[in-house]
Amino acid sequence: MDSKRWDDLTSKNGMLGYLDMNLRGAGQVFFQNNPWTGLIILAAIFWGARAAGDLNVAFGAVVGLFVSTTTAILLNVDRASLRQGLFGLNGVLVGVAVPIFLHPHPMMWAYLLLGAAVSTVATLAVANVVKSWGIPGSTAPFVFTTWVLLLGAYSFTHLPIATMGPPALPAAAGAGGMTLSLHTVLSSLGKNISQVYLIENFWTGVLFIVAIAINSIRSAGFAVIGSVIGLGAALVFGAGAGATASGLYGFSAVLTAMAVGLAFEKLSLRAVLYAVLATVFTVVVQAAFNTALSPLGIPPLTFPYVLTMWLFLLPGIDLMPHPKASPVVSSH
Amino acid sequence: MDSKRWDDLTSKNGMLGYLDMNLRGAGQVFFQNNPWTGLIILAAIFWGARAAGDLNVAFGAVVGLFVSTTTAILLNVDRASLRQGLFGLNGVLVGVAVPIFLHPHPMMWAYLLLGAAVSTVATLAVANVVKSWGIPGSTAPFVFTTWVLLLGAYSFTHLPIATMGPPALPAAAGAGGMTLSLHTVLSSLGKNISQVYLIENFWTGVLFIVAIAINSIRSAGFAVIGSVIGLGAALVFGAGAGATASGLYGFSAVLTAMAVGLAFEKLSLRAVLYAVLATVFTVVVQAAFNTALSPLGIPPLTFPYVLTMWLFLLPGIDLMPHPKASPVVSSH
Amino acid sequence: MDSKRWDDLTSKNGMLGYLDMNLRGAGQVFFQNNPWTGLIILAAIFWGARAAGDLNVAFGAVVGLFVSTTTAILLNVDRASLRQGLFGLNGVLVGVAVPIFLHPHPMMWAYLLLGAAVSTVATLAVANVVKSWGIPGSTAPFVFTTWVLLLGAYSFTHLPIATMGPPALPAAAGAGGMTLSLHTVLSSLGKNISQVYLIENFWTGVLFIVAIAINSIRSAGFAVIGSVIGLGAALVFGAGAGATASGLYGFSAVLTAMAVGLAFEKLSLRAVLYAVLATVFTVVVQAAFNTALSPLGIPPLTFPYVLTMWLFLLPGIDLMPHPKASPVVSSH
């Protein structure tokens, strides 16, 4: 079905339009405004969750997506941003993160609903703050909301923690890098991409690339390049073997490469070097947040990407804003 | 005496005008621009301090109030903001906090004077930063100034710490919620309100409600509702028994309910749900800061309220700014 | 050679112009737009590094300076800011900090190059953020970049840590202030100034004062006054003996005294009191960051100065902006 006919259908049929904006939300995490991209991404999340034996993560993704988008509708937000899925992208990530880090408990689902609804308020709030600087809020609302939920869980008896922490003072890294083979390298490259959605699964990563590529080959290219640079930098600096192999040093680099790379209309040598510098530095920022959040026992989530993306887009020199990389979310 | 005659008196008599703006400052912590509200609040603080056997807290409140207001006069600040007490509200809180957390020592009083004076500079600084986003600085200057003073005290021999800390890594909450009875519930509801001024005393809380009600029944209503929602959320999520009973999970919720509730001109169902969402989320933010500040050994103060209030006022959707909830502080 | 002839020479000769903007960068750390000031400062850094037996620090300074300035040229930044050295001031500090805190290792030099290049991007980013508030970015880009590098090093095997940390929970200060004698006081006053460049050496401090004085006696005066007030406040509050003697409580105070003092066109009594308040409070902020960063095992660098300077310049009351104290960095 061509894009024009689908647009007609979704604008006429309310239910289909609602489904469409939700699916686009899942795609916007990778800067893709395309419902089919979102659909494949959700399928890849189900695949990864099933492989890990915890379907709650996939259900959480769907619930988070629908709750955050529905909250946006109730808040009468800007219609154009809503239809592009810009209010679902943070909710779907909250929905994935909560079941990963907290025990499945009825209260966890109430917490997830609360977090998904708040992620929409946070999306509006962050957009209002950053708009004067010409940078996108991106996944910052997801990060702030989820950090609050996870830190709060340490103080709440009814929200037991599953997989994060325990809080510990940082210690200098010991020796021992990742064992290098074609298998470990390929596996890590795929997981660098799947970990954008907090999932450690090579095939989920491959499906994500397919989902991006059906909308934009260029975007998929930047994602793969980001994964390669991220892995390379982690190996050169000597990041921890386990974390590198699991994709934990590369997922932020994937997003930075996409955001900064897509921000340029034309890729001059200077632009390429700028994007490479940003991507390499993302790995250092990732390492820095691994250290800094260790005493609190919470994960950096995508904040290393958000911070580096802001750092490299704020100067605005010769960076023609690319519409897909700079979603502007505004309220009426 | 009617309001008109009092205004005439205070504008003619310099000393009375000075007293008036100080008393209003004590009332502005609860968003009330009324000297009698401030007077009753100061009396309630004296009551609470005397009951706890530490009158330094009450003296600190008065000193902090006068020093911060006087600093504002010396800095030639905007006359209208000054007369509404908007420069005393942070100073009075600094004046309460320092004697609570640090040992009474001559150097503590010098520290308190320094902090109260700086709180006025911080009020101007924060107002300048947030003004472009249409949100009030509220008690953020108190929080930032006091955090600096308290963190600094750990490094200074002459400023021994009394009641906070010790710094500890966060640990997952153990079992055991608050024992529920009419007595414990009522006590906690009152302390949720008294803790806005860092005081744990049921009757101080009751007096605070009276002080608010003589100026605005609506405000007092929001304060009580905030206290009820705050306690409810703390019980549902399973917050620590001692902290819940002492009002430490509810005071920020009280302020959020007032700030967000008062921001709406008319209370539609949607507006009520929005304010309830904000108030419930404040309890999660409170829990998050309890965790996050544990390694530093300092209290969250009112920052959970400030952050949540900013989060929910920043979107600005259909929120007609209520003058009392949005004090605009500006310099000449 | 008079200033006019030098300007002619540097604008005609590209190589000389490049050298000139680099030297000015070294001077801008102390707000001096003068190549000879920068030259003497670099000489003083070599002196201090040689006395400490670690010339890497001095080489790092030069490399950081040239890399950050060159990055700025490649990014086509605003020509006027570039020629004033406003892109070298953060790079030279990154270049000093990395060899001080990390082990000299080939990877450390790669890290230093990366950090110096990023410091230029950070300078543009911070300038874009703070410009709407009328405050300078100053050394904030150095602080943010270096914090990321140092925190990251804890996670990287190939970047072993030399002198910072280990991370530890804060503990209340023990007894024992600095022994007071003419020798210890003078030594501390000089080191308060040398520590602006992270160097503990009395004569380096003296040379810095000379370097400042050849461009502006007034600036040198504020630096000395800042050092005296910083030491005084540290002694009064009872800061740790070792840190006070090493200049670690005074260097931020030196910079605050200069930045706030120079911001006033004329020094009224009120302006003097304001600058003194800022300088004294800087020592408290310094102590606060010593506490707050202890669990992360990284140093506060010049952030206590940056934060206090922002706090006291943001109000903007009667503070005529002094061009040298308010470098405006902007991109085309």
Side-chain angles (χ1 to χ4, degrees):
Chain A
M1 178 158 44
D2 62 56
S3 168
K4 180 79 185 60
R5 254 194 75 197
W6 175 256
D7 285 357
D8 282 355
L9 268 171
T10 57
S11 63
K12 275 182 212 145
N13 182 319
M15 202 58 220
L16 216 56
Y18 178 70
L19 191 68
D20 178 69
M21 66 179 72
N22 274 291
L23 291 175
R24 285 175 199 269
Q28 285 285 8
V29 172
F30 283 109
F31 315 100
Q32 307 306 312
N33 180 14
N34 182 317
W36 310 108
T37 298
L39 188 66
I40 301 175
I41 283 174
L42 287 181
I45 291 172
F46 266 90
W47 173 277
R50 197 164 155 274
D54 184 8
L55 275 178
N56 284 321
V57 171
F59 293 137
V62 175
V63 171
L65 192 53
F66 281 73
V67 169
S68 58
T69 304
T70 308
T71 305
I73 294 171
L74 292 174
L75 291 176
N76 258 346
V77 299
D78 171 58
R79 198 79 198 150
S81 298
L82 180 68
R83 294 196 58 183
Q84 288 171 43
L86 292 174
F87 289 96
L89 86 112
N90 285 290
V92 67
L93 288 168
V94 170
V96 165
V98 169
I100 284 181
F101 297 112
L102 302 185
H103 264 300
H105 185 281
M107 192 59 72
M108 181 210 81
W109 289 101
Y111 214 51
L112 192 157
L113 294 178
L114 175 68
V118 169
S119 80
T120 296
V121 178
T123 300
L124 291 164
V126 170
N128 187 11
V129 170
V130 300
K131 70 170 181 239
S132 50
W133 298 312
I135 51 171
S138 198
T139 53
F142 149 63
V143 174
F144 298 152
T145 307
T146 306
W147 276 350
V148 166
L149 295 174
L150 298 182
L151 284 170
Y154 277 100
S155 300
F156 290 141
T157 316
H158 301 162
L159 288 155
I161 286 153
T163 57
M164 63 183 180
L169 290 174
M178 195 178 88
T179 318
L180 288 181
S181 72
L182 185 65
H183 178 263
T184 58
V185 165
L186 275 180
S187 163
S188 176
L189 289 177
K191 290 174 178 177
N192 279 347
I193 289 157
S194 70
Q195 285 282 10
V196 167
Y197 266 101
L198 300 101
I199 286 169
E200 182 188 340
N201 186 302
F202 173 75
W203 293 108
T204 296
V206 172
L207 275 173
F208 282 176
I209 287 293
V210 171
I212 298 166
I214 65 161
N215 188 55
S216 158
I217 294 282
R218 191 156 171 258
S219 297
F222 280 119
V224 172
I225 292 168
S227 178
V228 171
I229 294 177
L231 177 58
L235 293 173
V236 166
F237 293 136
T244 307
S246 311
L248 291 175
Y249 272 98
F251 70 92
S252 281
V254 165
L255 290 171
T256 299
M258 294 181 78
V260 178
L262 292 169
F264 291 94
E265 289 284 340
K266 264 200 323 193
L267 279 181
S268 62
L269 174 64
R270 207 160 58 87
V272 168
L273 288 177
Y274 194 75
V276 169
L277 182 67
T279 307
V280 170
F281 194 65
T282 304
V283 176
V284 181
V285 177
Q286 181 80 46
F289 273 87
N290 288 351
T291 303
L293 296 178
S294 167
L296 302 181
I298 56 168
L301 303 173
T302 54
F303 201 61
Y305 144 66
V306 172
L307 200 68
T308 315
M309 179 268 292
W310 282 345
L311 182 65
F312 279 79
L313 292 190
L314 271 169
I317 345 159
D318 286 354
L319 298 173
M320 296 297 181
H322 185 284
K324 272 179 212 129
S326 311
V328 175
V329 177
S330 63
S331 60
H332 272 308
Chain B
M1 177 158 44
D2 62 57
S3 168
K4 181 79 186 58
R5 255 195 74 197
W6 175 256
D7 285 357
D8 281 355
L9 268 171
T10 57
S11 63
K12 274 181 214 145
N13 182 319
M15 203 57 219
L16 216 56
Y18 178 71
L19 191 69
D20 178 69
M21 66 179 73
N22 274 291
L23 291 176
R24 285 176 199 268
Q28 285 285 8
V29 172
F30 283 109
F31 315 101
Q32 307 306 312
N33 180 14
N34 182 317
W36 309 108
T37 298
L39 189 65
I40 301 175
I41 283 174
L42 287 181
I45 291 172
F46 266 91
W47 173 277
R50 198 165 155 275
D54 184 8
L55 275 178
N56 284 320
V57 171
F59 293 137
V62 175
V63 171
L65 192 53
F66 281 73
V67 169
S68 58
T69 304
T70 308
T71 305
I73 294 170
L74 292 174
L75 291 176
N76 257 346
V77 299
D78 171 58
R79 198 78 199 151
S81 298
L82 180 68
R83 295 197 56 183
Q84 288 171 42
L86 292 174
F87 289 96
L89 85 112
N90 285 291
V92 66
L93 288 168
V94 170
V96 166
V98 169
I100 284 181
F101 297 112
L102 302 185
H103 264 300
H105 186 281
M107 192 59 72
M108 182 210 80
W109 289 101
Y111 214 50
L112 192 157
L113 293 178
L114 175 68
V118 169
S119 80
T120 295
V121 178
T123 299
L124 291 164
V126 170
N128 187 11
V129 170
V130 300
K131 70 170 180 238
S132 50
W133 299 311
I135 50 172
S138 197
T139 52
F142 149 63
V143 174
F144 298 152
T145 307
T146 307
W147 276 351
V148 166
L149 294 174
L150 298 183
L151 284 170
Y154 277 99
S155 301
F156 290 141
T157 316
H158 301 163
L159 288 154
I161 286 154
T163 57
M164 63 183 181
L169 290 174
M178 194 178 89
T179 317
L180 288 181
S181 72
L182 185 65
H183 178 263
T184 57
V185 165
L186 275 181
S187 163
S188 176
L189 289 177
K191 290 174 178 176
N192 280 346
I193 289 157
S194 71
Q195 285 282 11
V196 167
Y197 266 101
L198 299 102
I199 286 169
E200 182 188 340
N201 186 302
F202 173 75
W203 293 108
T204 296
V206 172
L207 275 173
F208 282 176
I209 287 292
V210 171
I212 298 166
I214 64 161
N215 188 53
S216 157
I217 294 282
R218 192 156 171 258
S219 296
F222 280 119
V224 172
I225 292 167
S227 178
V228 171
I229 294 177
L231 177 58
L235 293 173
V236 166
F237 292 136
T244 307
S246 311
L248 291 176
Y249 272 97
F251 70 92
S252 280
V254 165
L255 290 171
T256 299
M258 294 181 77
V260 178
L262 292 169
F264 291 94
E265 288 286 339
K266 263 199 324 193
L267 279 182
S268 61
L269 174 64
R270 208 158 58 85
V272 168
L273 288 177
Y274 194 75
V276 169
L277 183 68
T279 308
V280 170
F281 194 66
T282 303
V283 176
V284 181
V285 177
Q286 182 80 47
F289 274 87
N290 287 352
T291 303
L293 296 179
S294 167
L296 302 181
I298 56 168
L301 303 173
T302 54
F303 201 61
Y305 144 67
V306 172
L307 200 68
T308 315
M309 178 269 291
W310 281 346
L311 183 65
F312 279 79
L313 292 190
L314 270 169
I317 346 159
D318 287 353
L319 298 173
M320 296 296 182
H322 185 284
K324 271 179 212 128
S326 311
V328 175
V329 177
S330 63
S331 60
H332 272 308
Chain C
M1 178 158 44
D2 63 56
S3 168
K4 181 79 186 57
R5 255 194 74 196
W6 175 256
D7 286 356
D8 282 355
L9 267 172
T10 57
S11 62
K12 274 182 212 144
N13 183 319
M15 202 58 220
L16 216 56
Y18 177 71
L19 191 69
D20 178 69
M21 66 180 72
N22 274 292
L23 291 176
R24 284 176 199 268
Q28 285 285 7
V29 172
F30 283 109
F31 316 100
Q32 307 306 313
N33 180 13
N34 182 317
W36 309 108
T37 298
L39 189 66
I40 301 175
I41 283 174
L42 288 181
I45 291 172
F46 266 90
W47 173 277
R50 198 164 155 274
D54 183 8
L55 275 178
N56 283 320
V57 171
F59 294 137
V62 175
V63 171
L65 191 54
F66 280 73
V67 169
S68 58
T69 304
T70 308
T71 305
I73 294 171
L74 292 174
L75 291 176
N76 258 347
V77 299
D78 171 59
R79 198 80 198 149
S81 298
L82 180 68
R83 293 196 58 183
Q84 288 171 42
L86 292 174
F87 289 95
L89 86 112
N90 285 289
V92 67
L93 288 168
V94 170
V96 165
V98 169
I100 284 181
F101 298 112
L102 302 184
H103 264 300
H105 185 281
M107 192 60 71
M108 182 209 80
W109 289 101
Y111 214 50
L112 192 156
L113 294 178
L114 175 67
V118 169
S119 80
T120 295
V121 178
T123 300
L124 290 164
V126 169
N128 187 11
V129 170
V130 300
K131 70 170 180 239
S132 50
W133 299 311
I135 50 172
S138 197
T139 52
F142 149 63
V143 174
F144 298 152
T145 306
T146 307
W147 276 350
V148 166
L149 295 174
L150 297 182
L151 284 169
Y154 278 99
S155 300
F156 290 141
T157 317
H158 301 162
L159 287 155
I161 286 153
T163 58
M164 63 183 180
L169 290 174
M178 196 178 88
T179 318
L180 288 181
S181 72
L182 185 64
H183 179 263
T184 58
V185 165
L186 275 181
S187 163
S188 176
L189 289 177
K191 291 174 178 176
N192 279 346
I193 289 157
S194 70
Q195 285 282 10
V196 167
Y197 266 101
L198 299 101
I199 286 168
E200 183 188 339
N201 186 302
F202 173 75
W203 292 108
T204 296
V206 172
L207 274 173
F208 282 176
I209 287 293
V210 171
I212 299 166
I214 64 161
N215 187 54
S216 158
I217 294 282
R218 192 156 170 258
S219 297
F222 280 119
V224 172
I225 292 167
S227 178
V228 171
I229 295 177
L231 177 59
L235 293 173
V236 166
F237 293 136
T244 307
S246 310
L248 290 175
Y249 272 98
F251 70 91
S252 281
V254 166
L255 290 171
T256 299
M258 294 181 78
V260 178
L262 292 169
F264 291 94
E265 289 285 339
K266 263 200 324 194
L267 279 182
S268 61
L269 174 64
R270 208 159 58 86
V272 169
L273 288 176
Y274 194 75
V276 169
L277 182 67
T279 308
V280 170
F281 194 65
T282 303
V283 176
V284 181
V285 176
Q286 181 80 47
F289 274 87
N290 288 351
T291 303
L293 296 179
S294 166
L296 302 181
I298 56 168
L301 303 173
T302 53
F303 201 61
Y305 143 66
V306 172
L307 200 68
T308 315
M309 178 268 291
W310 282 346
L311 182 65
F312 279 78
L313 292 190
L314 271 169
I317 346 159
D318 287 353
L319 298 173
M320 296 296 182
H322 184 283
K324 272 180 212 128
S326 312
V328 175
V329 177
S330 62
S331 60
H332 272 308

